[in-house]
Amino acid sequence: MKTIIIDHKNDLHLVASCPTVAALGFFDGVHLGHQKVIQTAKKLAEKIGLKTAVISFFPHPKEIIGKTGERVHYLLPPAEKAKKFSRLGVDYFYLIRFTPEFARVESKDFVQKYLIPLQIKHVVAGYDFTYGRKGKGNLDTMEEESGYSITVTKVENVERNDEKISSTLIRNKIQLGFMEALPNYLGEFYETKGKMVCTEGKAELIWDRYYMLPPEGCYDVAIYKGHGWVEGRVLITDQQKTYWLGPSIPSAWSVFRVKAKWISRNIRFISEIVEAPGKKLVSIRG
């Protein structure tokens, strides 16, 4: 898959690689609803002999046009989204920088100055997708705004347990610590990546940017350190620091890359950390 970063200064006629069917959206988390949109685009592209593209944006529009100081809780960094798109069979990933200038682009200009120069022939998106300044454009207006050079497919939402799967729903589950529920919406356990810093018997996990952590508490996880998955527990403090409780906490100072699968909240442990005399972190049973 080829990833192409786009901002308002690009000449998109030079950027475009070939005609495509494009899935359009922010796709934070690439949950089952997003996957349905992308898979629909992939099937349509194969049917008419075109490549498949994903068009997305970064940062989140709320960071640019939302309330001052409003914090956006991301589920995945753009690079990890790209990996998921690639596994879904996407050929091109167009990532548009969402800037104040882009936020002022009218809906028709988005179609005429972005989608058409990128040689988008068909757009697939969720039924409630909007675009352009103040979200005035939608899939019902896109065909007309393209001069009928672009056709569209509207994908209905996916539900689990009578709930519409959405990035907002997943964020709410994480905020409540319901990590065991996430495979119902993501199709897999939620994963984060970062580094483990081991000093004097402590093992702190420092996560990369653009992941979301659950609240203070103890959680069952699986950690991958380059030699297979190891199941254990982590403790998140009220300061949102994360500590690996083992098994096998290295005693020597070391730093290495890890990724974690968040399995479930472990309610048998109180979310409290104390410093033992030997400087080791211990959890307190409830």
Side-chain angles (χ1 to χ4, degrees):
M1 185 187 76
K2 186 176 182 179
T3 298
I4 300 169
I5 309 297
I6 294 172
D7 63 30
H8 66 285
K9 299 176 183 178
N10 287 123
D11 183 343
L12 300 188
H13 292 90
L14 300 177
V15 168
S17 299
C18 64
T20 61
V21 173
L24 194 53
F26 192 76
F27 300 120
D28 194 19
V30 196
H31 56 61
L32 293 177
H34 297 150
Q35 292 173 36
K36 182 180 178 182
V37 171
I38 295 167
Q39 288 162 351
T40 300
K42 179 73 175 175
K43 289 178 182 177
L44 284 169
E46 290 174 346
K47 184 177 180 180
I48 59 180
L50 296 180
K51 298 291 187 180
T52 306
V54 165
I55 301 176
S56 191
F57 316 92
F58 194 83
H60 196 284
K62 285 184 179 179
E63 286 201 27
I64 305 301
I65 58 177
K67 298 177 183 178
T68 303
E70 183 175 5
R71 183 183 176 189
V72 176
H73 295 281
Y74 291 96
L75 298 174
L76 281 179
E80 294 303 314
K81 283 202 286 189
K83 291 177 183 177
K84 288 181 178 288
F85 296 154
S86 181
R87 290 197 291 270
L88 288 168
V90 173
D91 301 296
Y92 298 98
F93 175 29
Y94 296 115
L95 181 60
I96 299 174
R97 297 187 190 278
F98 200 100
T99 63
E101 293 83 2
F102 183 76
R104 292 192 289 269
V105 173
E106 298 291 345
S107 61
K108 185 173 182 178
D109 288 336
F110 173 68
V111 175
Q112 294 285 335
K113 296 180 180 179
Y114 285 81
L115 299 187
I116 290 176
L118 287 173
Q119 299 190 65
I120 307 303
K121 302 303 179 184
H122 190 95
V123 165
V124 181
Y127 74 99
D128 56 354
F129 177 77
T130 61
Y131 61 90
R133 189 171 72 90
K134 296 184 178 180
K136 291 182 178 179
N138 56 55
L139 292 184
D140 293 327
T141 65
M142 185 175 287
E143 290 189 355
E144 181 179 354
E145 290 180 334
S146 72
Y148 299 96
S149 66
I150 296 174
T151 52
V152 302
T153 294
K154 192 182 299 186
V155 177
E156 295 300 318
N157 59 287
V158 177
E159 293 187 356
R160 289 291 184 275
N161 303 319
D162 296 323
E163 294 179 299
K164 172 195 168 185
I165 297 177
S166 68
S167 301
T168 299
L169 173 66
I170 293 168
R171 292 187 194 103
N172 290 341
K173 298 294 183 183
I174 293 175
Q175 285 178 331
L176 294 171
F178 297 157
M179 309 308 282
E180 63 277 3
L182 301 189
N184 292 325
Y185 314 117
L186 294 171
E188 59 188 356
F189 289 112
Y190 183 56
E191 289 190 12
T192 55
K193 291 185 178 181
K195 60 184 177 181
M196 183 180 285
V197 180
C198 304
T199 56
E200 298 180 311
K202 298 179 190 177
E204 183 176 0
L205 292 157
I206 301 174
W207 305 111
D208 297 341
R209 294 180 67 191
Y210 307 123
Y211 288 112
M212 186 175 176
L213 293 182
E216 175 185 3
C218 184
Y219 296 87
D220 293 325
V221 300
I223 292 283
Y224 186 84
K225 298 187 289 185
H227 302 288
W229 292 94
V230 177
E231 292 189 4
R233 297 188 184 95
V234 296
L235 202 57
I236 297 181
T237 72
D238 58 357
Q239 300 296 316
Q240 284 283 283
K241 288 189 174 183
T242 309
Y243 293 94
W244 172 244
L245 299 181
S248 67
I249 299 175
S251 57
W253 188 92
S254 57
V255 179
F256 42 87
R257 294 288 301 172
V258 297
K259 59 181 175 180
K261 291 182 180 180
W262 295 79
I263 299 171
S264 63
R265 189 166 194 168
N266 192 318
I267 60 175
R268 293 175 297 169
F269 285 78
I270 297 174
S271 55
E272 180 180 348
I273 291 180
V274 298
E275 292 279 0
K279 298 292 184 180
K280 291 185 177 180
L281 289 162
V282 296
S283 59
I284 308 300
R285 281 190 179 275

